[in-house]
Structures are given as C-alpha cells and as structure tokens.
Amino acid sequence: MALIRALGIDVGSTTAKIVGTDEFGNLSWHLLEQADPRVESQVEWFLFRAKEVAPSLSWDATGRAEGVPLVATGYGRRLVHQATRQVTEITCHAKGIYRELSHGGTLVDIGGQDSKVIVISRDGDVIDFTMNDKCAAGTGRFLENTASRLGVPVEQLGEVTLAAKDEVSISSTCTVFAESEVVSLIAHGVELGPILKGLHRSLIKRIVAMIGTVGLKVPLMLSGGVVLNTAVSRMLKEETGEEVIMPRHPQLMGAYGASLIALELAGL
Ligand code: ADP
C-alpha cells in the first residue's frame, strides 16, 4: 500500500517510469520497466499497478485517476492521453533534482538514447541547457552496443572498467565505427578492461564538451540510468576535477519532477 496524491510518468526511449508522491512531495512509490513501443498499453498497465498499490484511487471514464493529477514527460509524453499536462524533460529533471538535493548547479543526465546538461539556479530555475538526442555517442546506447559485443552485462561495466590499469584510445566517436574498432582490437588480442576504459573515456569527453557549451556551475549533479555505472561518475569527476553528487534514485528524476509538478497543479 502506498499513499499517492500525484503521479508522474516519464516515457523515455529506453525505459518507462512512473512515480507516485505523497501530499508532501515525498516519493512514495515507483515502477520502472524497459520501454514498450506500445506506449499507450504500457501507460495503462502503469496506472493499473498504481491503483493496485493505492486502492483508494478511482478512475474516471477517460482513464484519469480521479482527484490524482498526472504529469507526463519524456520522449513519448504526448502519447500519455490520461495526463493532466505534458511537460518537457528539462523542466521535470530540474524540478526533481532540485527537490531531491535542495540546491542548484549543473545537472548531467545520461539516458539510453539521449544526454542533457541543465544549469539550475540557486532557486531551482533552469538557466540554460543543451541536449543531444541526435547521435548515440555520449549516451547509454554507445556503451550498451559495445558491451553486448564484448559479452559484458551493462551492470558490470563499471566494475570491469575501473579494475583496468591500462586504457586504449578509441578514435571513433560514432557508435557504429567504435563497435568495428572494438572488434578489431579484440582480434589483435587487446584485453577487455582497457578497451572498456577507452570507450568510457570517449563517452565522458563527449559529455564534458556538452558541459563546456553551457558552462559548469558547481556542484555537478548526475541523473539517468547510465550514471548507475560507477565508472561514469568516477571518470566524470576525473575529467572535470569536480566532485559529483548523485540523488537516491538517479533514473527517476524526470518522473519524480513530473509528479511534483502534478502536485503543484492540483494546488497541493
Ligand atoms: P531513458 O530515460 O533515456 O529511457 P534511462 O535514464 O532509464 O534512459 O537510462 C537507460 C540506460 O541506462 C541504458 O543505456 C542502460 O544500459 C543504462 N543502465 C541502466 N542500469 C544500469 C546499470 N546498473 N549500470 C549501467 N548502466 C545502466
């Protein structure tokens, strides 16, 4: 059983998440699944599960939870017809992280197929941002593709990478070419660890270049599924020389921010 007064759904390119908050804006429930291309049925399933954990919710004829505001964000947000409002990922991520960490700074969000850098003021407003959703380099997909080629599960990428002493330089920034480069390195007998370290370096350099376009306002904060990979946070710290701060649920910040906006819309 969970106390849910507002809901936020983040339909990402790789994962879909739903978050429930209580009346004080505390994250009280969540669900995260691989994104289903049939967005509408996944959203229906999410709302069905919300009702299961919070039986006091009741649905109206349009599928909206009565009296429970819902904000949708993410790449598939326009397909969430039950939403009270659709809000951009930039606004939702900023909202979620500001509430979670209680300060501004520069948020780096690395998702499955996009990455973004958002500069947030001390009052929680978005000052500037940049987003890459056109190219897989600098996103989770860059590591995922090569990790599967190397037979390393994504959950173990950080450990294997950080254990490597050596590092090979990966010259291709393009995901497809990097994959061919990796295959060739393996054929030449290069070990997994140094290859992975080189791949992570390439991703991090992309992210640092994005930070450079908006300017780094400390502290550096991280969100998105890819930052669960410990090598990503460690190497970002190395490359920028700054401490990095992570919220409790890095992958849920967009959905959490959406639920907080929903709570505000309801005047709660
Ligand atoms: P999106 O919101 O863009 O759909 P997410 O923020 O949910 O994406 O991040 C998904 C990405 O996070 C995928 O590329 C996946 O490989 C990566 N990821 C998820 N969990 C882990 C983990 N434990 N370790 C490393 N990478 C992870």
Side-chain angles (χ1 to χ4, degrees), residues 95-111:
K95 190 88 184 168
I97 200 89
Y98 186 74
R99 163 71 196 232
E100 186 69 14
L101 299 178
S102 315
H103 56 68
T106 305
L107 172 64
V108 172
D109 178 87
I110 315 179

Side-chain angles (χ1 to χ4, degrees), residues 166-228:
D166 299 325
E167 178 173 337
V168 290
S169 166
I170 305 287
S171 56
S172 319
T173 40
C174 166
T175 306
V176 177
F177 292 154
E179 212 176 310
S180 317
E181 202 176 334
V182 164
V183 171
S184 159
L185 287 167
I186 295 170
H188 285 87
V190 181
E191 282 178 44
L192 276 189
I195 297 176
L196 283 176
K197 208 162 187 179
L199 281 167
H200 280 69
R201 187 76 59 198
S202 170
L203 176 129
I204 297 297
K205 287 213 152 112
R206 274 271 167 152
I207 299 293
V208 171
M210 282 177 73
I211 296 174
T213 65
V214 289
L216 173 59
K217 173 180 156 62
V218 291
L220 196 51
M221 307 174 284
L222 300 182
S223 69
V226 177
V227 308
L228 295 169

Side-chain angles (χ1 to χ4, degrees), residues 1-4 50-59 66 68:
M1 294 276 272
L3 192 60
I4 297 178
K51 194 173 180 195
E52 268 188 344
V53 296
S56 58
L57 296 182
S58 57
W59 309 127
E66 268 171 15
V68 178

Side-chain angles (χ1 to χ4, degrees), residues 10-17 32 35 93 109-114 116 139-141 144 154-158 223-230 250-251:
D10 178 0
V11 184
S13 55
T14 309
T15 65
K17 313 94 180 159
L32 182 152
H93 273 84
D109 178 87
I110 315 179
Q113 286 182 48
D114 67 38
K116 34 195 174 285
T139 74
R141 182 60 82 85
E144 255 179 53
V154 284
E155 293 77 18
Q156 286 170 26
L157 277 175
S223 69
V226 177
V227 308
L228 295 169
N229 171 342
T230 45
Q251 216 166 351

Side-chain angles (χ1 to χ4, degrees), residues 29-50:
W29 173 73
H30 79 271
L31 200 59
L32 182 152
E33 289 180 354
Q34 288 306 303
D36 187 329
R38 290 156 302 179
V39 175
E40 281 110 334
S41 51
Q42 187 161 36
V43 169
E44 273 170 28
W45 162 244
F46 273 0
L47 294 176
F48 172 78
R49 288 296 311 276

